[in-house]
């Protein structure tokens, strides 16, 4: 197994080890695992089946991560991202009135165009034309967006009609626990403790279990049925003049979102 990993991922050449990669991979997983639960909820708001969306999110992330690891040998985790799912549910389906099947067809067509751009020099030309300060700003924007979602989900910030945002109620146990978890990760990271994020996440999770905030239902269960959404995309419905702007929006948001993240 060690020889296989060395041959496949060239660990010594990249100045790393199996232990270091395992810790890094586990950290990446628990950091991005929130999308497993958040994405299906957004998809369900568009009318898609919640359980099937959960399975679809997991399968899409797994295939993408395996392809990135074994084909590209690049330590980057891939999964459905925040932003596009909100545009899908609340704009294309919610405001514009398209069915989720047609919206999925638009996503598919945008994905085809994205692949074409990626395998040709076009994408590299586009990214190289972006000034460095704007590239840095794109990455910062993605980080701020994800951080904003975390603070909102933890109850640390809440909606306020007068000022748009205000501090949450720290008398709430969940909010206090989220803030303490964030503070723990921050302190450990500043002190350069290896696995700071893992320690923080596990500490909050265990605390939530002890306080009865999390209902433990076991480790393994049968996955929900994927049939309610499997291959239900309406490509012909998406091939419409009115959908061109939607497809282009999916394409360019995805292009700049991935560029900023990477």
């Amino acid at each position: 197994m060690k020889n296989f990993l060395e041959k496949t991922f060239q660990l010594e050449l990249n100045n790393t080890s199996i232990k270091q990669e395992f810790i890094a991979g586990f950290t990446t997983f628990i950091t991005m695992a929130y999308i497993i639960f958040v994405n299906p909820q957004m998809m369900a708001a568009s009318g898609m089946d919640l359980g099937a969306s959960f399975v679809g999110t997991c399968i899409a992330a797994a295939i993408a991560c395996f392809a990135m690891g074994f084909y590209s040998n690049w330590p980057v985790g891939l999964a459905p991202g925040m932003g596009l799912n909100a545009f899908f549910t609340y704009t294309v389906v919610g405001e514009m009135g398209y069915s989720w099947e047609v919206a999925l067809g638009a996503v598919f067509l945008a994905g085809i165009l994205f692949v074409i751009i990626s395998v040709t020099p076009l994408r590299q030309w586009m990214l190289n034309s972006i000034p460095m300060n704007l590239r840095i700003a794109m990455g910062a924007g993605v980080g701020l967006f994800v951080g904003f979602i975390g603070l909102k989900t933890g109850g640390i910030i809440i909606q306020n009609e007068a000022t748009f945002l205000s501090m949450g109620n720290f008398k709430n146990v969940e909010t206090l626990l989220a803030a303490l978890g964030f503070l723990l990760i921050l302190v450990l990271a500043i002190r350069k403790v290896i696995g700071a994020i893992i320690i923080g996440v596990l500490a909050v999770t265990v605390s939530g279990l002890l306080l009865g905030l999390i209902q433990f239902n076991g480790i393994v269960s049968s996955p929900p049925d994927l049939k309610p959404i499997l291959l239900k995309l309406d490509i012909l419905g998406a091939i419409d003049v009115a959908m061109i702007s939607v497809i282009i929006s999916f394409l360019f948001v995805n292009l700049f979102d991935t560029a900023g993240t990477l």
Side-chain angles (χ1 to χ4, degrees):
M1 177 59 70
K2 185 176 181 180
N3 292 334
F4 168 77
L5 293 175
E6 178 59 41
K7 182 180 179 180
T8 304
F9 301 111
Q10 301 174 329
L11 301 179
E12 290 186 8
L13 183 63
N14 289 291
N15 193 29
T16 185
S17 64
I18 296 176
K19 178 182 177 182
Q20 183 173 337
E21 291 304 304
F22 177 82
I23 294 175
F26 185 60
T27 301
T28 301
F29 172 76
I30 63 173
T31 302
M32 63 191 288
Y34 75 92
I35 199 67
I36 297 174
F37 309 100
V38 176
N39 190 59
Q41 292 175 7
M42 280 200 173
M43 295 297 97
S46 70
M48 297 176 67
D49 183 81
L50 178 64
S53 299
F54 171 83
V55 177
T57 301
C58 293
I59 293 176
I63 292 174
C65 287
F66 276 115
M68 179 63 81
F70 285 99
Y71 181 73
S72 301
N73 191 20
W74 224 40
V76 175
L78 299 177
M82 297 297 297
L84 277 173
N85 52 6
F87 177 69
F88 176 96
T89 297
Y90 303 119
T91 301
V92 179
V93 177
E95 294 183 10
M96 301 178 72
Y98 290 102
S99 67
W100 62 264
E101 292 90 347
V102 172
L104 276 183
V107 172
F108 177 79
L109 295 175
I112 294 296
L113 294 175
F114 186 82
V115 171
I116 294 174
I117 291 175
S118 298
V119 298
T120 61
L122 183 59
R123 185 168 186 253
Q124 186 175 358
W125 293 339
M126 294 174 65
L127 296 181
N128 288 339
S129 66
I130 301 174
M132 181 56 68
N133 58 349
L134 185 56
R135 295 187 203 180
I136 297 173
M138 289 161 61
V142 173
L144 287 171
F145 180 58
V146 175
F148 185 88
I149 293 172
L151 293 173
K152 178 180 178 296
T153 305
I156 298 175
I157 57 175
I158 58 175
Q159 183 178 355
N160 186 300
E161 293 184 0
T163 61
F164 186 70
L165 286 178
S166 61
M167 296 296 292
N169 181 13
F170 284 85
K171 293 182 180 179
N172 188 309
V173 180
E174 290 91 342
T175 302
L176 181 60
L177 194 60
L180 291 175
F182 176 76
L183 183 62
L184 176 61
I185 293 174
L186 182 64
V187 171
L188 293 176
I190 291 175
R191 297 182 66 87
K192 300 186 184 302
V193 176
I194 297 176
I197 296 177
I198 293 179
I199 295 171
V201 171
L202 292 180
V204 171
T205 302
V206 172
S207 300
L209 286 170
L210 295 176
L211 293 172
L213 303 175
I214 302 174
Q215 184 179 0
F216 182 69
N217 293 317
I219 299 175
V220 179
S221 67
S222 299
D225 191 3
L226 189 61
K227 289 181 181 179
I229 65 170
L230 182 62
L231 299 178
K232 294 297 176 65
L233 68 170
D234 186 357
I235 300 176
L236 292 178
I239 303 177
D240 186 89
V241 176
M243 288 295 290
I244 293 178
S245 62
V246 174
I247 296 172
I248 297 301
S249 296
F250 276 128
L251 174 62
F252 280 95
V253 170
N254 197 19
L255 178 67
F256 292 116
D257 192 9
T258 52
T261 304
L262 293 176

